[in-house]
Amino acid sequence: MHPWISDRAESFDSSGIRRVFDLAAKLEDPINLSIGQPDFDVPGEIRQATIEAIESGKNAYSPTQGIAPLRESLQAKVAQQYAQHDDREVFVSSGTSGGLMLSMLSMVNPGDEVIYLDPFFVMYPALVQMCGGIPVPVDSYPDFRLDPEKIEAAITPRTKMILLNSPANPTGVTASASDLKQVAELAAEKNIALVSDEIYSTFHYDDEFVSPAVYNDQTIVIDGFSKSHAMTGWRVGYVHGPADIMAAMLKLQQYSFVCSPQPAQWGAIRALETSLDGYLADYRRKRDLIVEGLSDVYELVKPGGAFYVFPKAPVTSGAAFVEEAISRGLLIIPGNIFSHRDSHFRISFAAPDETLHRGIELLRELARR
Ligand code: PMP
């Protein structure tokens, strides 16, 4: 280890993901079911709005909280969606990741515990550790349900935050309204910060998306345009919640990310006016395709949202299974990157139909062996 490297940077590693990327780089024409972003491009009118912003000189810093017209549009959307709590403040962050980082930095003290479900989005434990916090993953196998009783059992006097993610990465599972309500009320009762990562809120296939903020008006909601509008490289997210918390987060944003890229924010205004119904229907169909193609040979939970399925590997080690799949040209992600268990693997169905068909065929063959 280099002597200059901080304990913070040493406190977690990302070797698991790097290993998958290294293996992937060696493949020619892989069947790629590993990508965590939509397979469509940013819709044309959004690209055009961003190009126009650049051409008309909107290239400088924006206010740290975001350009006024985008904030106003987001504020209106939030007021409509969370009608009973119209005192929520909104700001524009540098992606959802930026919002997550700021939420940790502004609320987690060293030694504070942060509860989230295992399997989890890879960034969660790392972010908690960067702030000196203690990650408290709550095992949600085999159904990946947000079980309020399990959350309650994980609470200690040091619990500072509960971090929710529905629809979830990597399982695609959506929490039911009643479970969200119970957890939201539990957080309120125990005075624990509730953070809701809603990056997949547009990809909700079987019923209406519900935010825990509906049941707990102190919830900090983090959302963004990366997944909904395929704008992952543009870095536009947004956060809404109680004014004091938003002010603390903005103070930290001012001295770190500064602002989300201004031209992309102009594109985001157009994104709010763009219908995603076509994409949603297409992704629902892809979800059905993959579930129907695999559920008789793999143990899996049908995802209600996002674009992931998290089946159980047909051998004891998920990582060993993924190595085998990659050696056959199929790129999937081992579950142990997102979990303390090594029994499952993640498939992303954000891929062309032809790729999905090839992937299903190979996975069926691997399951039979
Ligand atoms: N949260 C979850 C659950 C995610 O899956 C991702 C992206 N993989 C993010 C946040 C980060 O998204 P962004 O590009 O907006 O930073």
Side-chain angles (χ1 to χ4, degrees):
M1 190 220 318
H2 195 288
W4 295 348
I5 292 171
S6 68
D7 299 343
R8 184 182 310 109
E10 282 295 321
S11 68
F12 53 89
D13 89 330
S14 59
S15 55
I17 305 170
R18 226 176 309 139
R19 187 170 159 72
V20 176
F21 290 149
D22 288 348
L23 288 169
K26 293 188 191 122
L27 293 178
E28 268 174 48
D29 187 30
I31 307 167
N32 195 346
L33 299 184
S34 72
I35 309 280
Q37 64 178 331
D39 72 314
F40 55 86
D41 196 3
V42 180
E45 67 269 28
I46 304 173
R47 297 203 301 266
Q48 204 50 47
T50 302
I51 291 166
E52 278 162 23
I54 292 171
E55 295 292 358
S56 64
K58 297 190 171 83
N59 298 305
Y61 299 124
S62 84
T64 225
Q65 65 272 27
I67 54 172
L70 177 58
R71 275 187 75 218
E72 281 157 17
S73 298
L74 289 168
Q75 192 85 53
K77 178 176 143 91
V78 167
Q80 187 193 34
Q81 226 175 328
Y82 305 86
Q84 62 270 58
H85 313 304
D86 51 9
D87 55 346
R88 303 179 73 74
E89 295 256 319
V90 184
F91 75 89
V92 181
S93 58
S94 175
T96 307
S97 306
L100 283 166
M101 168 104 247
L102 295 171
S103 72
M104 298 283 165
L105 283 173
S106 59
M107 288 181 275
V108 175
N109 280 319
D112 286 350
E113 294 175 355
V114 178
I115 293 174
Y116 52 85
L117 290 190
D118 176 339
F120 45 80
F121 172 44
V122 277
M123 234 181 232
Y124 295 165
L127 286 172
V128 174
Q129 280 169 293
M130 276 186 226
C131 300
I134 299 166
V136 181
V138 170
D139 189 291
S140 69
Y141 291 82
D143 56 5
F144 313 123
R145 175 184 160 215
L146 173 70
D147 182 341
E149 280 178 27
K150 286 193 194 166
I151 299 291
E152 183 158 22
I155 293 174
T156 76
R158 285 183 309 188
T159 305
K160 185 61 174 288
M161 180 187 287
I162 299 171
L163 174 53
L164 299 181
N165 174 219
S166 171
N169 181 4
T171 62
V173 167
T174 54
S176 73
S178 73
D179 287 343
L180 285 170
K181 180 167 189 281
Q182 276 190 61
V183 173
E185 288 171 354
L186 180 67
E189 179 196 316
K190 306 255 184 192
N191 196 25
I192 294 169
L194 188 65
V195 175
S196 181
D197 177 350
E198 303 184 355
I199 180 92
Y200 296 105
S201 58
T202 25
F203 300 96
H204 212 270
Y205 304 118
D206 303 320
D207 43 21
E208 282 290 304
F209 169 77
V210 187
S211 171
V214 169
Y215 311 112
N216 176 338
D217 64 0
Q218 300 300 298
T219 306
I220 293 102
V221 172
I222 310 181
D223 204 332
F225 296 88
S226 283
K227 312 284 168 164
S228 54
H229 299 78
M231 287 161 51
T232 50
W234 291 18
R235 315 311 305 140
V236 194
Y238 56 96
V239 185
H240 52 101
D244 290 355
I245 310 277
M246 296 305 103
M249 288 174 72
L250 273 174
K251 195 166 61 172
L252 293 163
Q253 174 153 283
Q254 189 175 359
Y255 290 146
S256 54
F257 299 99
V258 180
C259 62
S260 168
Q262 194 192 161
Q265 292 189 54
W266 290 98
I269 296 175
R270 189 61 58 87
L272 285 171
E273 297 155 2
T274 304
S275 167
L276 297 168
D277 292 352
Y279 297 116
L280 184 65
D282 197 35
Y283 275 48
R284 184 186 291 113
R285 186 184 56 75
K286 287 180 194 290
R287 188 270 314 255
D288 293 342
L289 189 82
I290 199 112
V291 169
E292 277 156 29
L294 296 178
S295 54
D296 59 329
V297 282
Y298 285 90
E299 188 182 317
L300 61 83
V301 180
K302 183 178 181 179
F307 29 72
Y308 309 113
V309 198
F310 200 63
K312 188 161 194 260
V315 293
T316 23
S317 161
F321 178 72
V322 168
E323 286 213 12
E324 164 81 13
I326 291 178
S327 76
R328 300 284 304 273
L330 171 64
L331 263 184
I332 45 179
I333 310 274
N336 64 352
I337 284 177
F338 313 97
S339 177
H340 292 97
R341 296 206 200 193
D342 175 28
S343 49
H344 288 60
F345 62 97
R346 190 189 79 175
I347 299 171
S348 163
F349 57 81
D353 285 8
E354 202 238 284
T355 309
L356 292 176
H357 287 300
R358 284 172 66 208
I360 291 169
E361 196 179 321
L362 183 57
L363 282 166
R364 293 189 70 84
E365 190 191 319
L366 290 171
R368 277 195 294 266
R369 294 199 315 171

